[in-house]
Amino acid sequence: MKIGIVLGTRPEIIKLSPLIRLLHNNLNYFIIHTGQHYTQNMDKIFFEELELPQPKYNLEIGSKNHGEQTGQMLEKIERIFIDEKPDLVLVYGDTNSVLAGALAATKLRIKVAHIEAGLRSYDKDMPEEKNRTIVDTFSDYLFAPTENSRNILLNEGKKQESIFVVGNTIVDAVQQSLEIADKKVNILQKLNLQKDNYFVLTLHRSENVDFKTRLQTLLFGLKLVAEEFNIPIIYPIHPRTKKRIEEFNIEVPKEIITIEPQGYLDFLQLQKNAKLILTDSGGIQEESSILKVPCVTIRTSTERPETLEIGSNVLAGTNPEKILDCVKNMLNKERNWQTPYGDGKAAQKIIEILKNENNIN
Ligand code: UD1
Ligand code: UDP
């Protein structure tokens, strides 16, 4: 069996890393990198740090409007699939790269395996919600992280036999990388930070950062948080947000210390030792549940409701006072939850299922 993997952004590289490690020297596979993310600290650093093989193809699509970006990916990926003739294509998550990879495959009648299937925020304004819903519609293998996502898929009419609950490979990635991080990096020392004496922030969702007033409101809420606790907020700033802050000519409050996007080892260490994490990221809501660090999500909806149920995460919305209240509440909670995303063997399970389903020893 020949497997094609399509990836393109930071979270896809990180979350696919445990799977790529297992596939390497084990099954016949190739990687297509769409080039949706391309700068050193959004892309290449993850291949280097996580010691991943270089993609066989890099399409170098780069940043574009959604239609143009997805369309160019689709065209180039299709050409490669026609030449390579994979039996199965693996995609992970909900980015434009995922949509293009899955669509190119299914139109050529190549089987599609969607990892992280069945996530729904029910917010149709999110580009990610459109991508993941469409990809789930035609995928042949739906690898759902939790029973909750399985039920979502069943309620949408997906076939029972195409759904497999395997956990999320983010647990595998965190487990594999934390040990290395503790040996190789010391970001706290580098930034002169003490454990539990700073907050970590990430903010990059289009609905939060692409509108001036919304972004200003959120920065004000974050300033309130930093002032109340009198500790800094460390913010590895996503290039989308950096661009918007410059374009809108907004001043970032001095309590928020912006740094470049970090490599995975440094960022894990930053998260693990933080007093609390503030974010609008999908993956970071999951990681905080694994690292047992409380999380406040600066959004009005989440496709990770499991983290709310176990109490590792809370949805703060976008009102500044509400954000501060949520931080206070979360800091009063015990960190005694168990991550809902599995035991760190999701990648292994996915490969075994694919082998079984395709009669490979
Ligand atoms: C994309 C995904 C989002 C995911 C995020 C992970 C879609 C629709 N969005 O959003 O789901 O959460 O990746 O981080 O697929 N830029 C750079 N260097 C890079 C990449 C981007 O400077 O390597 C800048 C460009 O100015 C670009 C902007 O960031 O216009 C946004 O990049 P893009 O890939 O379009 O969307 P993300 O916000 O990164
Ligand atoms: N991450 C990282 N360095 C950073 C910020 C995030 O390595 O400076 C990692 C983070 O640990 C998580 C992933 O990037 O594994 C999340 O990516 P992002 O928030 O960009 O995307 P999302 O998960 O929202 O799609």
Side-chain angles (χ1 to χ4, degrees):
M1 182 172 69
K2 188 178 195 181
I3 297 178
I5 296 178
V6 180
L7 50 75
T9 67
R10 169 168 76 183
E12 292 161 71
I13 305 167
I14 293 170
K15 287 176 160 177
L16 279 164
S17 65
L19 229 133
I20 294 171
R21 285 191 194 115
L22 286 177
L23 283 178
H24 205 59
N25 301 327
N26 191 353
L27 280 173
N28 187 6
Y29 81 102
F30 64 94
I31 301 174
I32 301 178
H33 190 328
T34 62
Q36 180 172 345
H37 284 177
Y38 45 87
T39 39
Q40 171 66 22
N41 53 16
M42 293 297 290
D43 167 26
K44 298 176 189 65
I45 191 166
F46 302 104
F47 283 91
E48 289 159 15
E49 272 191 344
L50 302 174
E51 296 179 7
L52 299 175
Q54 283 307 307
K56 183 164 179 185
Y57 303 93
N58 192 321
L59 310 182
E60 296 181 354
I61 302 289
S63 308
K64 303 207 158 45
N65 289 335
H66 286 256
E68 192 181 357
Q69 187 180 54
T70 313
Q72 287 189 12
M73 288 176 190
L74 190 58
E75 192 180 341
K76 290 191 175 178
I77 296 171
E78 181 179 64
R79 188 110 321 278
I80 295 171
F81 286 167
I82 289 171
D83 291 344
E84 288 274 0
K85 300 185 178 47
D87 302 290
L88 175 90
V89 167
L90 269 176
V91 290
Y92 201 128
D94 52 23
T95 66
N96 289 346
S97 300
V98 170
L99 177 63
L103 205 50
T106 195
K107 285 195 177 270
L108 291 170
R109 296 173 188 267
I110 299 166
K111 283 187 179 167
V112 176
H114 185 209
I115 313 178
E116 222 175 60
L119 271 64
R120 298 288 181 271
S121 65
Y122 301 106
D123 178 354
K124 289 219 170 69
D125 283 341
M126 292 180 71
E128 294 82 5
E129 182 75 358
K130 297 171 214 198
N131 291 343
R132 58 189 165 233
T133 311
I134 296 169
V135 172
D136 280 342
T137 309
F138 56 70
S139 289
D140 301 274
Y141 300 100
L142 294 158
F143 289 107
T146 64
E147 285 299 330
N148 179 58
S149 23
R150 185 214 294 273
N151 288 333
I152 288 174
L153 292 165
L154 286 174
N155 287 336
E156 288 179 1
K158 309 292 186 299
K159 285 197 222 119
Q160 178 131 15
E161 56 275 22
S162 62
I163 307 169
F164 304 88
V165 176
V166 290
N168 193 311
T169 63
I170 193 68
V171 184
D172 316 22
V174 168
Q175 287 177 358
Q176 290 166 22
S177 309
L178 255 189
E179 231 172 282
I180 310 171
D182 286 339
K183 283 188 204 133
K184 278 202 176 168
V185 296
N186 196 343
I187 181 92
L188 267 60
Q189 197 175 42
K190 209 161 108 190
L191 299 179
N192 199 15
L193 297 168
Q194 271 94 46
K195 184 174 168 54
D196 287 330
N197 214 22
Y198 63 93
F199 296 111
V200 167
L201 166 70
T202 80
L203 203 63
H204 76 282
R205 293 252 90 81
S206 162
E207 58 273 24
N208 274 342
V209 307
D210 286 349
F211 306 94
K212 186 173 181 180
T213 0
R214 166 73 73 91
L215 185 51
Q216 278 176 315
T217 307
L218 296 183
L219 291 174
F220 178 65
L222 293 159
K223 181 181 163 64
L224 293 183
V225 172
E227 281 175 350
E228 172 79 19
F229 293 92
N230 198 23
I231 60 175
I233 296 181
I234 309 298
Y235 179 20
I237 188 165
H238 191 285
R240 172 187 285 275
T241 319
K242 187 171 185 206
K243 191 171 78 176
R244 293 301 184 209
I245 283 176
E246 284 162 8
E247 191 181 308
F248 298 149
N249 202 11
I250 292 177
E251 203 173 317
V252 178
K254 64 174 187 333
E255 296 80 0
I256 302 175
I257 297 168
T258 58
I259 57 176
E260 286 296 306
Q262 298 294 300
Y264 194 48
L265 303 181
D266 280 321
F267 191 67
L268 268 184
Q269 211 172 55
L270 262 182
Q271 288 190 88
K272 189 181 133 195
N273 293 292
K275 190 176 183 70
L276 177 143
I277 298 167
L278 294 130
T279 194
D280 63 2
S281 156
I284 292 171
Q285 294 175 64
E286 295 159 356
E287 279 172 348
S288 54
S289 82
I290 303 163
L291 296 166
K292 291 206 185 326
V293 178
C295 181
V296 171
T297 295
I298 307 173
R299 286 174 49 187
T300 50
S301 66
T302 180
E303 57 293 317
R304 272 96 175 166
E306 298 89 345
T307 58
L308 307 179
E309 280 155 27
I310 60 164
S312 65
N313 183 22
V314 68
L315 274 185
T318 55
N319 175 288
E321 283 77 23
K322 177 83 192 296
I323 295 173
L324 176 58
D325 277 352
C326 286
V327 171
K328 287 183 187 162
N329 289 340
M330 284 307 281
L331 286 174
N332 281 330
K333 279 182 122 175
E334 291 231 16
R335 303 178 177 199
N336 55 2
W337 59 77
Q338 290 299 322
T339 181
Y341 295 114
D343 55 5
K345 300 208 164 39
Q348 185 77 49
K349 287 176 195 157
I350 291 168
I351 290 183
E352 274 162 21
I353 290 164
L354 290 177
K355 279 181 163 178
N356 275 343
E357 292 279 313
N358 292 281
N359 299 320
I360 297 167
N361 293 321

